[in-house]
Amino acid sequence: MPAKTALDADARGGTGEAVGPLLRGVGVLRRLTEAGGTLSPSALERTTGLARSTVDRITATLARMGYVRLDGRDVVLTPGVMELGNAYLAALRLPALLGARADALADELDDELDESVSLAVADLDGIRFVHQATRRRAMSVSFRIGDLLPAERTAPGPLFATEWTPREWTRWHARRAADPADTAFPAVPPGPVPTGDSAFPARVERARRDGWAVDDQLIEPGLVAVSVPVRDPATGRPACVASVVSHTSRHSAAGLRGSLLPRLRTAAAAMECDLRTAPPPRPGPPPAGLASWTTASKHELGRDFVESLARGLTVPAAYGEGRSALSLTEVARATGLARATARRALLTHEHLGLVLAHPDRTFTLTPRVLDLGFPPLSRSTLPRLAEPHLRALADRLQEPTALAVLTADGTEIQYTAGADTRRVLTVHIAVGARLPAAATSLGRVLLADTASPLPPALAQVRDQGYALVDEELESGLRSLAVPVRDRSGRAVTALNVATHTARRSLRDCLQDVLPALRATADRIQTDLHTASRFGRVPPS
């Protein structure tokens, strides 16, 4: 099918009640995800087959929702889009219930073998990662939460395939015949394509007999893994699969099985116990009126705002912990949409594979929701999340901004990100540079978050929520800093603005700079809290 008509044809196919703008908007998010999070509007025009005016309206709507930002000539995914995947992962509950066990196993192996541990779920005839406990080393596993891999080229795949029906095997054969090069799996590294589909059914039978499976360099040369199922206590089917992944420079597939399979089985048994004994979820109040803001945006932006796209994308946000299966009435109530509108949105999501309808007339999210922006953002660092906000603040105030963390001994700060301005007289400190913590506003904000008792000066910083250093580090230099806190409320980094005494008085710093600084810290915190809900965001 010619690219120019691909998404339009998809809008007409499958169901006559599909919402065309929602189909096209999801297509744009998927193309951005496949490209690593950034594409120009012209590249989106080519890859989606949509008219440039349509691309512009979709990206303007996604920007209004906080899912993308327009950065010069590029459209860039933002952490806000991870709210869609977070809704699926919260409804799934497996990362929350089992993630700590996977992390503990990775930490145990880190002490001796330094290997990564992952949890994956089935996604049609593929497997998709929902948790990763990776090791920080020069050669480490680069798969991300949300990455999709073909079942036949993984260790978890044969374990899930032991439960496949004849219809599912037929679908697998059809997919292999239509896409032998695995082009539908963007996370698969380029390289030689394995041949011989007959090998996979044999691997499935071995997995059925043994209760475990291995991947001996099927995805990429040098990559090996061993996997065991974690079974749902209610059905006996694999709820997920736990894997230990290594490299042939450290283990052969046989060696990995021999040295790590017993510990992996012990961890999986503990995970199954966790599933059996987990209390029912305690959801908060169900959301209501999630789409109520869209009408006001339509009135403000006019035709540049695609209201049906925005309304449709609020549907996944109706889900969460304790809200894994929702009826049409519950979706309509949570979103504030009319039943007819909510029904068409659900049918569209079902057509796209994002929602599954059940005989009891409820709908659940599928792992495909993670296709919408999650993988390229799930490995973000805090400096990467903060950089666009730093640039915006520097442009607004025409003063340099910076981000820093405390060193391990707490005596120095290390700069991790910054944004300069075009001034003759300015402050420029390179990323990676260190300064004494006690002499800087950044350091004082971070030191004020340490355990009590604090010296009076740091106690005052903690109480007021900012630090102002006036010509203490260098003559003529004033610096104002505020903390950036993680989901637990701990200050993990600090944000500052530096200026010259001739440009801003102390009063100006408090009246003009401090509110803008705090607003920027709030935006960084919002992105950090979204990105770190089901994954780790390194502070540097």
Side-chain angles (χ1 to χ4, degrees), residues 444-445 448 454-468 518:
R444 291 180 187 178
V445 161
L454 292 171
L458 289 181
Q460 181 181 2
V461 168
R462 180 187 58 194
D463 293 341
Q464 66 192 14
Y466 67 87
L468 176 58
R518 281 176 163 162

Side-chain angles (χ1 to χ4, degrees), residues 230-309:
V230 178
R231 298 191 179 276
D232 185 325
T235 66
R237 295 166 62 93
C240 65
V241 167
S243 305
V244 176
V245 188
S246 186
H247 193 271
T248 52
S249 60
R250 300 191 293 274
H251 293 279
S252 66
L256 190 68
R257 180 190 69 217
S259 60
L260 297 184
L261 181 59
R263 276 190 274 188
L264 182 58
R265 278 179 155 163
T266 299
M271 292 179 186
E272 291 177 346
C273 181
D274 290 341
L275 293 181
R276 283 194 302 272
T277 60
R282 294 184 177 179
L290 292 169
S292 59
W293 62 275
T294 60
T295 300
S297 293
K298 181 64 176 178
H299 288 157
E300 181 180 343
L301 299 181
R303 69 179 307 276
D304 289 335
F305 184 77
V306 187
E307 190 172 12
S308 58
L309 167 59

Side-chain angles (χ1 to χ4, degrees), residues 121 159 172 247 323 326 384 417-418 428 437 459 471 496:
V121 297
L159 294 165
W172 175 78
H247 193 271
R323 301 190 303 276
L326 299 178
R384 181 182 171 190
H428 177 73
E471 298 191 85
N496 87 331

Side-chain angles (χ1 to χ4, degrees), residues 229-418:
V230 178
R231 298 191 179 276
D232 185 325
T235 66
R237 295 166 62 93
C240 65
V241 167
S243 305
V244 176
V245 188
S246 186
H247 193 271
T248 52
S249 60
R250 300 191 293 274
H251 293 279
S252 66
L256 190 68
R257 180 190 69 217
S259 60
L260 297 184
L261 181 59
R263 276 190 274 188
L264 182 58
R265 278 179 155 163
T266 299
M271 292 179 186
E272 291 177 346
C273 181
D274 290 341
L275 293 181
R276 283 194 302 272
T277 60
R282 294 184 177 179
L290 292 169
S292 59
W293 62 275
T294 60
T295 300
S297 293
K298 181 64 176 178
H299 288 157
E300 181 180 343
L301 299 181
R303 69 179 307 276
D304 289 335
F305 184 77
V306 187
E307 190 172 12
S308 58
L309 167 59
R311 286 176 168 178
L313 286 177
T314 64
V315 167
Y319 292 81
E321 186 174 1
R323 301 190 303 276
S324 59
L326 299 178
S327 66
L328 170 59
T329 299
E330 289 170 323
V331 170
R333 184 182 304 122
T335 58
L337 299 175
R339 280 177 57 89
T341 303
R343 177 176 173 275
R344 290 192 65 203
L346 284 168
L347 289 173
T348 305
H349 285 305
E350 184 182 11
H351 174 62
L352 290 165
L354 304 174
V355 159
L356 184 64
H358 297 277
D360 63 356
R361 297 189 176 182
T362 62
F363 299 84
T364 57
L365 297 179
T366 75
R368 299 260 152 167
V369 174
L370 295 172
D371 271 342
L372 308 183
F374 211 93
L377 293 165
S378 66
R379 285 281 185 87
S380 291
T381 63
L382 184 48
R384 181 182 171 190
L385 295 180
E387 281 171 0
H389 301 294
L390 297 181
R391 291 200 306 270
L393 180 62
D395 290 345
R396 175 181 173 183
L397 298 177
Q398 285 302 295
E399 303 286 4
T401 66
L403 208 67
V405 297
L406 275 178
T407 55
D409 62 7
T411 62
E412 293 181 308
I413 59 164
Q414 183 171 18
Y415 286 84
T416 59

